[in-house]
Amino acid sequence: MERRALTAGDMVDSQCTRCKALLNHTIVAMVAGQVVRVKCNTCGSEHNHRPVKEPKAATVKGAKAEKEVKTPRTRAAKAPAISDEAIWDEMIRPLDPDLAVPYSMEGKFKSNTLISHPTFGTGVVASCQAGKVEVVFKTGRKLLRSA
């Protein structure tokens, strides 16, 4: 049985971009014998043709395709993460805790200075940004407001 060549105005199945389903569409434009643009018969939207995807060829049951054998990945390949407490210990060691400046949102701070926060305790200023400071506390890093 011979298939008739498609022309503009014929019906074709296409994936509708608005309905998100495979529906009947009317062919609006063709280029070199290929459907290019369609109009959904359900919602009326006009979009590029998205043809039906052909299912992959079935393989014989039991036959193995030539694939790379997957091996389980080990966690040892990743570098161990350094805890925030270890970073805090390393940063605070050369500094004198008695010289910690009380934290204030209106205060200005420099890198590698100690601050005393009423909630988080003693911390070391890691970096300064416009209106913010990143402080390393024993419990972790915090981004705090500053002048």
Side-chain angles (χ1 to χ4, degrees):
M1 187 167 144
E2 237 177 274
R3 287 184 80 182
R4 185 175 68 88
L6 293 173
T7 60
D10 288 344
M11 300 286 198
V12 68
D13 285 337
S14 184
Q15 185 73 28
C16 183
T17 57
R18 185 180 289 169
C19 301
K20 306 289 187 219
L22 185 64
L23 299 169
N24 281 333
H25 286 69
T26 303
I27 299 172
V28 175
M30 295 188 68
V31 174
Q34 298 291 320
V35 179
V36 177
R37 197 132 177 99
V38 292
K39 182 176 181 179
C40 180
N41 294 341
T42 304
C43 68
S45 68
E46 190 174 309
H47 54 82
N48 292 337
H49 175 56
R50 290 179 173 72
V52 179
K53 292 184 179 176
E54 297 293 326
K56 292 183 178 179
T59 58
V60 178
K61 196 172 190 176
K64 291 185 178 181
E66 293 180 27
K67 289 186 178 180
E68 182 181 316
V69 177
K70 292 184 179 180
T71 58
R73 294 182 181 171
T74 60
R75 289 188 173 206
K78 292 183 181 179
I82 301 171
S83 69
D84 288 329
E85 188 173 347
I87 294 170
W88 179 80
D89 283 337
E90 192 67 32
M91 291 179 80
I92 204 167
R93 185 171 294 137
L95 303 173
D96 185 12
D98 295 333
L99 300 176
V101 178
Y103 171 73
S104 170
M105 286 192 275
E106 290 80 32
K108 291 187 178 186
F109 305 99
K110 294 181 182 177
S111 294
N112 295 325
T113 57
L114 280 174
I115 64 167
S116 176
H117 193 276
T119 305
F120 304 120
T122 304
V124 181
V125 177
S127 65
C128 301
Q129 303 163 5
K132 298 176 186 176
V133 289
E134 183 180 19
V135 183
V136 179
F137 293 101
K138 192 170 187 171
T139 57
R141 292 178 180 261
K142 305 289 181 191
L143 194 61
L144 303 176
R145 184 176 150 194
S146 69

